[in-house]
Amino acid sequence: MAATRKILMLHGYGQNATIFSRRLGALRKSMPKDIELVFLDGPVVLHPVDLVGSSSITSLEALGAAEAVTDPTMTPRAWWKSNADRTVTHGMNDSLLLLRDTLSKDHYDGVFGFSQGAAMAALLAALLETPQLHPPFLIDGQPPHPRFQFCVEVSGFKPSWPLSTEIFETSYSTPTLHILGKTDVIVVPERSQILVDLSSNKRVEEHDGGHFVPSKANWRNFIREYLRDPLGNVPSPGAGSQTNSGTVTPNLSNGPEPNL
């Protein structure tokens, strides 16, 4: 019997573990028994003032967390918060400590993130390559976990945290799948490209939609096979209109969310 492959799943800004899991319901159901998706809550609790747009309801829907509008138990969360200029970041250290402790308790073959979660996934993968750059991430002077075998980043971007420049340096080498939406106006492809360029061992796939994890059958099959064998010759999912498993791409009159 094949050993179970565990993948750490990091949600987007304004979502939480439960919302992200629900949004990926079709993908989860397509997974074989030997792949386990482990969804984690970000430690930063968001309040209406942290959300942009004409109202918090509009923003939660835009960020793929509409469930939080009607269900008060679905607390919107994040991995960090930034000011409008992205010059000050709050919560990143708490997130790294949470991830350190999570990794120290179990083994994960890889990490999968969406939007802000993709940015955190990239940072985490890079930090596991050079953990000494952030001593609080170490446990008794040692990294909490081996390097990931792979990283999946959907609508990702480079975090604005000052230490991220040092952690990424010129590149990071963890095998990484970048999935970009051609019509994403929240994390535009040009911004994702900055993170793509930092990845020295990368594969890039595009879908025709916006800010979401593509969920049509061809994409579910592709992601499943990639998680099974990230270094294998998995055929591209190809082009085509995608259904929505992350969020509808909205028209944000007040501009992009500063935390994205």
Side-chain angles (χ1 to χ4, degrees), residues 105-130:
K105 296 173 183 176
D106 208 342
H107 177 80
Y108 295 90
D109 295 272
V111 61
F112 183 119
F114 166 64
S115 194
Q116 193 190 67
M120 180 57 81
L123 183 68
L124 187 60
L127 185 56
L128 285 173
E129 296 179 13
T130 53

mmCIF file of all heavy atoms in Angstrom, residues 105-130:
data_model
loop_
_atom_site.group_PDB
_atom_site.id
_atom_site.type_symbol
_atom_site.label_atom_id
_atom_site.label_comp_id
_atom_site.label_asym_id
_atom_site.label_seq_id
_atom_site.Cartn_x
_atom_site.Cartn_y
_atom_site.Cartn_z
ATOM 1 N N LYS A 105 5.258 18.858 13.901
ATOM 2 C CA LYS A 105 4.441 17.775 14.448
ATOM 3 C C LYS A 105 4.100 16.684 13.442
ATOM 4 O O LYS A 105 3.560 15.633 13.821
ATOM 5 C CB LYS A 105 3.138 18.353 15.007
ATOM 6 C CG LYS A 105 3.353 19.294 16.182
ATOM 7 C CD LYS A 105 2.057 19.970 16.589
ATOM 8 C CE LYS A 105 2.282 20.971 17.722
ATOM 9 N NZ LYS A 105 1.039 21.714 18.069
ATOM 10 N N ASP A 106 4.385 16.904 12.156
ATOM 11 C CA ASP A 106 3.998 15.925 11.137
ATOM 12 C C ASP A 106 4.884 16.134 9.916
ATOM 13 O O ASP A 106 5.624 17.120 9.818
ATOM 14 C CB ASP A 106 2.530 16.096 10.764
ATOM 15 C CG ASP A 106 1.895 14.802 10.278
ATOM 16 O OD1 ASP A 106 2.654 13.877 9.899
ATOM 17 O OD2 ASP A 106 0.654 14.711 10.272
ATOM 18 N N HIS A 107 4.779 15.203 8.981
ATOM 19 C CA HIS A 107 5.541 15.321 7.735
ATOM 20 C C HIS A 107 4.600 15.689 6.599
ATOM 21 O O HIS A 107 3.532 15.082 6.437
ATOM 22 C CB HIS A 107 6.249 14.015 7.396
ATOM 23 C CG HIS A 107 6.972 14.081 6.081
ATOM 24 N ND1 HIS A 107 8.216 14.682 5.942
ATOM 25 C CD2 HIS A 107 6.609 13.658 4.837
ATOM 26 C CE1 HIS A 107 8.582 14.618 4.674
ATOM 27 N NE2 HIS A 107 7.639 14.006 3.983
ATOM 28 N N TYR A 108 4.998 16.682 5.816
ATOM 29 C CA TYR A 108 4.225 17.117 4.655
ATOM 30 C C TYR A 108 5.106 17.016 3.406
ATOM 31 O O TYR A 108 6.232 17.510 3.394
ATOM 32 C CB TYR A 108 3.747 18.559 4.842
ATOM 33 C CG TYR A 108 2.769 18.712 5.976
ATOM 34 C CD1 TYR A 108 3.203 18.990 7.271
ATOM 35 C CD2 TYR A 108 1.399 18.548 5.766
ATOM 36 C CE1 TYR A 108 2.314 19.108 8.322
ATOM 37 C CE2 TYR A 108 0.492 18.671 6.817
ATOM 38 C CZ TYR A 108 0.963 18.948 8.089
ATOM 39 O OH TYR A 108 0.077 19.065 9.124
ATOM 40 N N ASP A 109 4.557 16.371 2.387
ATOM 41 C CA ASP A 109 5.314 16.235 1.148
ATOM 42 C C ASP A 109 5.418 17.564 0.407
ATOM 43 O O ASP A 109 6.421 17.833 -0.261
ATOM 44 C CB ASP A 109 4.653 15.192 0.252
ATOM 45 C CG ASP A 109 4.706 13.803 0.875
ATOM 46 O OD1 ASP A 109 5.695 13.101 0.665
ATOM 47 O OD2 ASP A 109 3.753 13.446 1.598
ATOM 48 N N GLY A 110 4.359 18.374 0.496
ATOM 49 C CA GLY A 110 4.370 19.642 -0.217
ATOM 50 C C GLY A 110 3.387 20.612 0.385
ATOM 51 O O GLY A 110 2.704 20.320 1.374
ATOM 52 N N VAL A 111 3.323 21.794 -0.232
ATOM 53 C CA VAL A 111 2.434 22.857 0.231
ATOM 54 C C VAL A 111 1.687 23.418 -0.968
ATOM 55 O O VAL A 111 2.233 23.496 -2.070
ATOM 56 C CB VAL A 111 3.235 23.954 0.973
ATOM 57 C CG1 VAL A 111 4.269 24.605 0.071
ATOM 58 C CG2 VAL A 111 2.323 24.999 1.594
ATOM 59 N N PHE A 112 0.421 23.796 -0.750
ATOM 60 C CA PHE A 112 -0.447 24.308 -1.804
ATOM 61 C C PHE A 112 -1.103 25.568 -1.260
ATOM 62 O O PHE A 112 -1.750 25.535 -0.216
ATOM 63 C CB PHE A 112 -1.504 23.236 -2.125
ATOM 64 C CG PHE A 112 -2.469 23.554 -3.250
ATOM 65 C CD1 PHE A 112 -2.530 22.753 -4.369
ATOM 66 C CD2 PHE A 112 -3.351 24.634 -3.152
ATOM 67 C CE1 PHE A 112 -3.433 23.017 -5.395
ATOM 68 C CE2 PHE A 112 -4.256 24.914 -4.174
ATOM 69 C CZ PHE A 112 -4.294 24.106 -5.295
ATOM 70 N N GLY A 113 -0.947 26.699 -1.958
ATOM 71 C CA GLY A 113 -1.531 27.935 -1.484
ATOM 72 C C GLY A 113 -2.276 28.681 -2.562
ATOM 73 O O GLY A 113 -1.951 28.573 -3.749
ATOM 74 N N PHE A 114 -3.277 29.437 -2.130
ATOM 75 C CA PHE A 114 -4.056 30.284 -3.036
ATOM 76 C C PHE A 114 -3.909 31.737 -2.609
ATOM 77 O O PHE A 114 -4.078 32.065 -1.431
ATOM 78 C CB PHE A 114 -5.527 29.875 -3.009
ATOM 79 C CG PHE A 114 -6.460 30.875 -3.645
ATOM 80 C CD1 PHE A 114 -6.369 31.152 -5.007
ATOM 81 C CD2 PHE A 114 -7.410 31.550 -2.886
ATOM 82 C CE1 PHE A 114 -7.219 32.085 -5.592
ATOM 83 C CE2 PHE A 114 -8.265 32.473 -3.469
ATOM 84 C CZ PHE A 114 -8.163 32.747 -4.828
ATOM 85 N N SER A 115 -3.572 32.621 -3.556
ATOM 86 C CA SER A 115 -3.505 34.063 -3.341
ATOM 87 C C SER A 115 -2.512 34.384 -2.221
ATOM 88 O O SER A 115 -1.335 34.066 -2.334
ATOM 89 C CB SER A 115 -4.905 34.610 -3.078
ATOM 90 O OG SER A 115 -4.939 36.009 -3.184
ATOM 91 N N GLN A 116 -2.966 35.021 -1.113
ATOM 92 C CA GLN A 116 -2.023 35.297 -0.037
ATOM 93 C C GLN A 116 -1.428 33.999 0.510
ATOM 94 O O GLN A 116 -0.263 33.953 0.917
ATOM 95 C CB GLN A 116 -2.707 36.081 1.092
ATOM 96 C CG GLN A 116 -1.712 36.677 2.081
ATOM 97 C CD GLN A 116 -2.368 37.240 3.325
ATOM 98 O OE1 GLN A 116 -2.934 36.498 4.139
ATOM 99 N NE2 GLN A 116 -2.317 38.558 3.472
ATOM 100 N N GLY A 117 -2.235 32.927 0.506
ATOM 101 C CA GLY A 117 -1.715 31.630 0.924
ATOM 102 C C GLY A 117 -0.639 31.106 -0.009
ATOM 103 O O GLY A 117 0.275 30.398 0.422
ATOM 104 N N ALA A 118 -0.731 31.447 -1.301
ATOM 105 C CA ALA A 118 0.317 31.058 -2.247
ATOM 106 C C ALA A 118 1.601 31.822 -1.976
ATOM 107 O O ALA A 118 2.704 31.267 -2.072
ATOM 108 C CB ALA A 118 -0.152 31.303 -3.681
ATOM 109 N N ALA A 119 1.466 33.109 -1.636
ATOM 110 C CA ALA A 119 2.639 33.893 -1.265
ATOM 111 C C ALA A 119 3.310 33.303 -0.028
ATOM 112 O O ALA A 119 4.541 33.185 0.043
ATOM 113 C CB ALA A 119 2.241 35.348 -1.023
ATOM 114 N N MET A 120 2.495 32.902 0.952
ATOM 115 C CA MET A 120 3.041 32.293 2.156
ATOM 116 C C MET A 120 3.651 30.929 1.856
ATOM 117 O O MET A 120 4.687 30.560 2.420
ATOM 118 C CB MET A 120 1.944 32.167 3.218
ATOM 119 C CG MET A 120 2.422 31.549 4.524
ATOM 120 S SD MET A 120 3.799 32.447 5.282
ATOM 121 C CE MET A 120 2.917 33.783 6.080
ATOM 122 N N ALA A 121 3.027 30.164 0.956
ATOM 123 C CA ALA A 121 3.579 28.857 0.581
ATOM 124 C C ALA A 121 4.964 29.012 -0.043
ATOM 125 O O ALA A 121 5.884 28.241 0.254
ATOM 126 C CB ALA A 121 2.635 28.154 -0.390
ATOM 127 N N ALA A 122 5.112 30.004 -0.916
ATOM 128 C CA ALA A 122 6.412 30.251 -1.547
ATOM 129 C C ALA A 122 7.446 30.652 -0.506
ATOM 130 O O ALA A 122 8.590 30.171 -0.513
ATOM 131 C CB ALA A 122 6.282 31.339 -2.605
ATOM 132 N N LEU A 123 7.055 31.548 0.409
ATOM 133 C CA LEU A 123 7.973 31.992 1.451
ATOM 134 C C LEU A 123 8.382 30.822 2.341
ATOM 135 O O LEU A 123 9.554 30.669 2.699
ATOM 136 C CB LEU A 123 7.308 33.091 2.285
ATOM 137 C CG LEU A 123 8.163 33.718 3.381
ATOM 138 C CD1 LEU A 123 9.299 34.531 2.770
ATOM 139 C CD2 LEU A 123 7.318 34.595 4.285
ATOM 140 N N LEU A 124 7.422 29.963 2.668
ATOM 141 C CA LEU A 124 7.705 28.814 3.519
ATOM 142 C C LEU A 124 8.645 27.836 2.830
ATOM 143 O O LEU A 124 9.595 27.330 3.445
ATOM 144 C CB LEU A 124 6.383 28.128 3.881
ATOM 145 C CG LEU A 124 6.430 26.997 4.901
ATOM 146 C CD1 LEU A 124 6.981 27.492 6.229
ATOM 147 C CD2 LEU A 124 5.039 26.395 5.083
ATOM 148 N N ALA A 125 8.393 27.570 1.543
ATOM 149 C CA ALA A 125 9.273 26.669 0.798
ATOM 150 C C ALA A 125 10.691 27.222 0.736
ATOM 151 O O ALA A 125 11.672 26.484 0.923
ATOM 152 C CB ALA A 125 8.723 26.449 -0.611
ATOM 153 N N ALA A 126 10.816 28.523 0.480
ATOM 154 C CA ALA A 126 12.140 29.143 0.393
ATOM 155 C C ALA A 126 12.825 29.156 1.758
ATOM 156 O O ALA A 126 14.042 28.935 1.863
ATOM 157 C CB ALA A 126 12.014 30.559 -0.164
ATOM 158 N N LEU A 127 12.054 29.410 2.814
ATOM 159 C CA LEU A 127 12.638 29.464 4.154
ATOM 160 C C LEU A 127 13.144 28.105 4.607
ATOM 161 O O LEU A 127 14.162 28.016 5.313
ATOM 162 C CB LEU A 127 11.601 30.011 5.138
ATOM 163 C CG LEU A 127 12.077 30.262 6.578
ATOM 164 C CD1 LEU A 127 13.270 31.206 6.600
ATOM 165 C CD2 LEU A 127 10.933 30.821 7.421
ATOM 166 N N LEU A 128 12.474 27.027 4.207
ATOM 167 C CA LEU A 128 12.955 25.690 4.556
ATOM 168 C C LEU A 128 14.279 25.374 3.863
ATOM 169 O O LEU A 128 15.010 24.477 4.304
ATOM 170 C CB LEU A 128 11.903 24.640 4.199
ATOM 171 C CG LEU A 128 10.699 24.560 5.140
ATOM 172 C CD1 LEU A 128 9.646 23.609 4.595
ATOM 173 C CD2 LEU A 128 11.123 24.135 6.552
ATOM 174 N N GLU A 129 14.595 26.095 2.790
ATOM 175 C CA GLU A 129 15.890 25.918 2.133
ATOM 176 C C GLU A 129 17.001 26.650 2.883
ATOM 177 O O GLU A 129 18.146 26.209 2.882
ATOM 178 C CB GLU A 129 15.819 26.423 0.684
ATOM 179 C CG GLU A 129 14.860 25.638 -0.188
ATOM 180 C CD GLU A 129 14.798 26.170 -1.615
ATOM 181 O OE1 GLU A 129 15.666 26.986 -1.995
ATOM 182 O OE2 GLU A 129 13.871 25.783 -2.346
ATOM 183 N N THR A 130 16.664 27.767 3.515
ATOM 184 C CA THR A 130 17.655 28.570 4.247
ATOM 185 C C THR A 130 17.068 29.007 5.588
ATOM 186 O O THR A 130 16.909 30.211 5.845
ATOM 187 C CB THR A 130 18.081 29.802 3.425
ATOM 188 O OG1 THR A 130 16.893 30.529 3.033
ATOM 189 C CG2 THR A 130 18.863 29.401 2.187
#
